[in-house]
Amino acid sequence: MMIAAHIVLLLSSSGRMLAVDAVRARLSTGRMVGTVWGVLAILVGLFGIVASFDDPLAARGARLGSTDPSISLGDYNLLGGVVVLAVGVLLLLASRGAARALAMVAAGLAVVAGLSLHVQLGFTDPLLGGNPTSAAFLFAAAVVAFAVSRVPQHEDTRQTVPS
Amino acid sequence: MRDPKTLLTWLFAPATDEVPRSHAVGATILRITIGLLWLYNVSWKRAPDFGQEAENGLYKFTKLAVEHPVFPPYSWVVEHLVLPVFQPFGWAVLLAETALAVLLITGTFIRLAALIGIAQSVAIGLSVAYAPGNGPGRTG
């Protein structure tokens, strides 16, 4: 089934909405995808902060997800939550018209945070209380932030497909 | 028939061909759903030994290709070329599946991600399809 699903993705046009591909194709200014990812990161960060009050710097933070169904956006302790929240706020501000440099800062912060998890996981307790899924989520936020940062500011007003 | 250069250009181009809106919405939902599946499943690819010492995790699932062969040449490759250098293999799997999750949920280089996903799904199918508790319909 997974093979078939990927073949459909290979041949379909799944990059027109909520996608960096739409920004690459200049069908979108990245405003919508940046806003959605900014809000998502803010919610994930707030969850990490609130859910880790009991043990703020746990090596394995609170899990945002469930094994049934198999969906997770990662584990985060208080510090991890604060970092994700910061990434989300920066990305949201940049997407809503503030300086695009903020998106670049968000991308840099997310990449460093994601890499820090991979450097520490399996070797020492991760500072951000995350797992490889947390790192992937941070890298995803970084990709979106980078795409938003590449769009010239004056193109913000251009109306395109809702991506 | 497209020449290789054109094919490569197509692979790296944005997956944004003009289609009816319903098609775009459906394809987007599928992309994000599959991306979330990969995102969840990178969580148990644990460095540095990826389950080799405890014989669990990625090591256990990779070894199933040898214990319950689906395609004997693939089992031979796993036994003689993969398991002896399992840690670099584990990092490669972690990298591939992280890239799949990131590219699909963000909608970046979707066609390339889909191709990697096909390869990874075939590899998973060849590893676990005949393992107890699994069937060709459940994996790959």
Side-chain angles (χ1 to χ4, degrees), chain A residues 1-22 24-25 27 33 37 60 63 66-75 118 121-123 130-137 139-141 143-144 162, chain B residues 10-19 21 23-25 27-28 30-32 34 36-43 45-48 91 94 98 100-102 104-111 113-115 117-118 121-122 136-137 139-140:
Chain A
M1 196 176 77
M2 285 290 275
I3 296 170
H6 285 92
I7 291 172
V8 171
L9 288 178
L10 180 68
L11 301 174
S12 72
S13 191
S14 65
R16 291 182 68 83
M17 307 178 82
L18 287 175
V20 169
D21 267 8
R24 291 173 59 221
L27 292 174
V33 71
W37 271 90
R60 189 169 186 173
R63 166 153 296 187
S66 167
T67 51
D68 189 20
S70 303
I71 286 180
S72 170
L73 297 180
D75 300 354
H118 280 304
L121 280 167
F123 302 100
N131 62 13
T133 294
S134 317
F137 180 81
F139 292 145
V143 166
V144 174
Chain B
W10 176 81
L11 198 62
F12 282 88
T16 54
D17 296 341
E18 198 159 344
V19 290
R21 186 175 170 80
H23 173 144
V25 170
T28 301
L30 177 67
R31 168 174 62 77
I32 293 172
I34 299 296
L36 286 173
L37 279 176
W38 289 117
L39 184 67
Y40 174 83
N41 279 290
V42 291
S43 67
K45 311 296 186 313
R46 296 296 179 119
W91 281 105
L94 178 59
T98 298
L100 274 169
V102 170
L104 289 177
I105 59 176
T106 63
T108 311
F109 295 106
I110 295 165
R111 290 171 182 154
L115 198 63
I118 291 168
S121 300
V122 168
T139 53

Side-chain angles (χ1 to χ4, degrees), chain A residues 114-132:
Chain A
L115 286 177
S116 82
L117 284 171
H118 280 304
V119 167
Q120 295 172 77
L121 280 167
F123 302 100
T124 182
D125 289 346
L127 271 176
L128 305 180
N131 62 13

Side-chain angles (χ1 to χ4, degrees), chain B:
Chain B
M1 184 83 183
R2 291 170 169 168
D3 67 76
K5 195 179 166 191
T6 312
L7 210 58
L8 212 58
T9 305
W10 176 81
L11 198 62
F12 282 88
T16 54
D17 296 341
E18 198 159 344
V19 290
R21 186 175 170 80
S22 57
H23 173 144
V25 170
T28 301
I29 291 170
L30 177 67
R31 168 174 62 77
I32 293 172
T33 304
I34 299 296
L36 286 173
L37 279 176
W38 289 117
L39 184 67
Y40 174 83
N41 279 290
V42 291
S43 67
W44 55 272
K45 311 296 186 313
R46 296 296 179 119
D49 79 340
F50 298 94
Q52 187 166 16
E53 196 177 317
E55 298 230 347
N56 61 19
L58 180 62
Y59 185 81
K60 177 186 161 190
F61 281 94
T62 307
K63 212 174 162 194
L64 289 173
V66 179
E67 292 168 350
H68 304 278
V70 176
F71 181 56
Y74 180 77
S75 302
W76 186 91
V77 168
V78 171
E79 185 174 7
H80 295 95
L81 302 179
V82 172
L83 294 180
V85 288
F86 190 70
Q87 288 187 24
F89 173 78
W91 281 105
V93 171
L94 178 59
L95 182 70
E97 295 195 3
T98 298
L100 274 169
V102 170
L103 297 180
L104 289 177
I105 59 176
T106 63
T108 311
F109 295 106
I110 295 165
R111 290 171 182 154
L112 176 68
L115 198 63
I116 298 171
I118 291 168
Q120 187 68 359
S121 300
V122 168
I124 292 170
L126 290 177
S127 295
V128 304
Y130 287 174
N134 277 291
R138 291 188 60 193
T139 53

